[in-house]
Amino acid sequence: MALHRPTLLQLLPFPIHPDAQPRLERDFSVVRLWEQDDPNSVMAACRDEVTVVVTSAFMPVRKKLIDQLPRLQAICSVGVGYDHIDWQDAQQRGVQVSNTPDVLNDCVADLAWGLLLDVARDISRADRYVRANQWELRLAELPLGRQVTGKKLGIVGLGRVGSAIAKRASGFSMQVRYHNRRPRNDVDWPYENSLHALAQWADFLVVATVGGDETRHLIDQAVLEALGPDGVLINISRGSVVDETALVQALQDKIIAGAGLDVFENEPQVPDELKTMDNVVLLPHIASATMETRRAMVDFMLQNVEAFARTGQVLTPVNP
Ligand code: 8YV
């Protein structure tokens, strides 16, 4: 007699992890939504069966979808951020929501430093200069960059990723300060209780806080003015944390010196004005995008799904 397996709704594939599909299908009857020609009718057919939804930061799970699934018990996501999930609505209904913290800290911190070094030393700009044969033809001089070693690094959001970014600063003999909702008593870096004061102090302001309503437009015109004409903004958290219109204006008016951005307010849309600026480095949300880290993230999602199948509890419920 075949056992009735619960139904899992999978919103996207995970080709990076060779075991992902067999491991999901061992415990669940899996609906592969991305493969369906008519996802709406497939959803209508399975909505009363689905107990688990699997997703990632690139595939939102909003209240509308949660409301469509009366037997939903868990949403397991790949990625540390969870602003793409209406987790409060889920939790009100008793639906568990899990993410994949920690396994991406180093990778994201590495990329924050990549952006910082790139903007400060004009690496991408110098690469474009060589490719356009400007070096050989001596058509134009490259401007001088900014030194990184010995400068001041301000971290907005000293969580797991923020700490990994801060640790790397010692290799560059930099001073570090941070701003959080509240000071941490387990670190030696000085706390600034005002974001404005941190921006005023810092040469490089790195945004590593969570996304969502609470942090929306935390980096606004006033913060950018405090950062000042020699200051550089780096964002590897969520586009929503920065008021993008204010940022474009600040760059155009030379209120700040430059920016390195891995995330944007309306991904994959990037304001055209930014694309023409040489003091800005733009990346397509790749901070965790290495083979090792993405595989570890998918594996962590699988462990959450498997723990839920075994015990009824996910391993890492989101913890706002
Ligand atoms: C990933 C991210 O790109 O972890 C996050 O919150 O934004 C990124 O690391 C994303 O989660 C891919 O699934």
Side-chain angles (χ1 to χ4, degrees):
M1 193 181 71
L3 282 178
H4 179 74
R5 287 176 308 159
T7 300
L8 178 148
L9 181 65
Q10 184 179 351
L11 302 187
L12 73 169
F14 303 108
I16 183 74
H17 197 303
D19 298 337
Q21 238 29 68
R23 278 171 65 181
L24 291 175
E25 279 160 30
R26 195 174 51 208
D27 296 319
F28 293 90
S29 163
V30 176
V31 178
R32 301 168 175 221
L33 200 62
W34 77 95
E35 283 180 351
Q36 311 302 325
D37 292 334
D38 183 0
N40 289 336
S41 62
V42 173
M43 273 293 295
C46 73
R47 51 167 294 195
D48 291 329
E49 305 295 326
V50 172
T51 55
V52 176
V53 169
V54 163
T55 189
S56 91
F58 297 131
M59 200 61 80
V61 178
R62 294 293 170 212
K63 182 174 187 304
K64 188 163 173 251
L65 175 61
I66 296 169
D67 286 347
Q68 274 174 16
L69 305 171
R71 296 189 55 210
L72 184 64
Q73 292 174 44
I75 302 167
C76 298
S77 182
V78 177
V80 66
Y82 45 87
D83 52 322
H84 60 295
I85 302 173
D86 282 339
W87 56 271
Q88 277 140 320
D89 296 293
Q91 288 182 345
Q92 257 166 30
R93 263 219 17 221
V95 175
Q96 301 176 54
V97 178
S98 68
N99 62 347
T100 61
D102 285 323
V103 290
L104 43 59
N105 297 348
D106 286 328
C107 204
V108 176
D110 290 350
L111 193 94
W113 274 93
L115 278 172
L116 190 157
L117 291 164
D118 192 336
V119 177
R121 300 300 308 274
D122 289 319
I123 297 173
S124 292
R125 179 180 190 168
D127 177 83
R128 290 193 292 274
Y129 175 84
V130 173
R131 286 168 199 260
N133 291 325
Q134 295 200 353
W135 193 26
E136 284 163 50
L137 301 173
R138 296 190 188 281
L139 290 180
E141 287 290 313
L142 263 182
L144 298 176
R146 286 164 199 280
Q147 176 154 323
V148 172
T149 295
K151 293 286 178 68
K152 297 176 192 151
L153 178 67
I155 311 259
V156 183
L158 195 80
R160 302 173 175 105
V161 170
S163 306
I165 295 168
K167 274 186 201 148
R168 283 156 173 74
S170 62
F172 291 91
S173 310
M174 286 172 94
Q175 297 173 57
V176 177
R177 291 188 190 176
Y178 71 99
H179 173 75
N180 259 4
R181 273 176 298 191
R182 56 192 89 84
R184 286 178 54 166
N185 53 19
D186 58 339
V187 299
D188 291 334
W189 299 299
Y191 176 70
E192 285 284 358
N193 67 6
S194 121
L195 174 54
H196 192 269
L198 181 73
Q200 224 160 22
W201 172 83
D203 297 303
F204 298 92
L205 190 68
V206 180
V207 183
T209 185
V210 292
D213 292 343
E214 224 180 307
T215 56
R216 193 178 144 68
H217 289 189
L218 201 61
I219 308 296
D220 57 10
Q221 189 190 336
V223 172
L224 295 168
E225 278 167 9
L227 184 57
D230 291 318
V232 169
L233 181 78
I234 305 295
N235 188 6
I236 46 76
S237 79
R238 284 292 180 266
S240 58
V241 183
V242 176
D243 178 343
E244 210 162 78
T245 309
L247 175 62
V248 169
Q249 195 66 50
L251 287 160
Q252 280 171 336
D253 296 349
K254 303 198 180 343
I255 304 277
I256 65 169
L261 308 169
D262 184 46
V263 286
F264 301 87
E265 277 204 81
N266 300 304
E267 293 173 13
Q269 310 300 327
V270 175
D272 283 337
E273 295 93 327
L274 294 178
K275 294 179 193 162
T276 62
M277 294 178 185
D278 264 331
N279 53 343
V280 172
V281 177
L282 306 169
L283 298 180
H285 200 146
I286 56 163
S288 70
T290 64
M291 299 277 272
E292 297 88 339
T293 295
R294 282 285 168 84
R295 199 167 286 170
M297 290 161 72
V298 173
D299 203 80
F300 206 173
M301 174 277 290
L302 294 169
Q303 291 176 43
N304 269 292
V305 171
E306 288 163 349
F308 177 78
R310 242 185 2 260
T311 67
Q313 299 294 317
V314 296
L315 294 177
T316 47
V318 300
N319 188 13

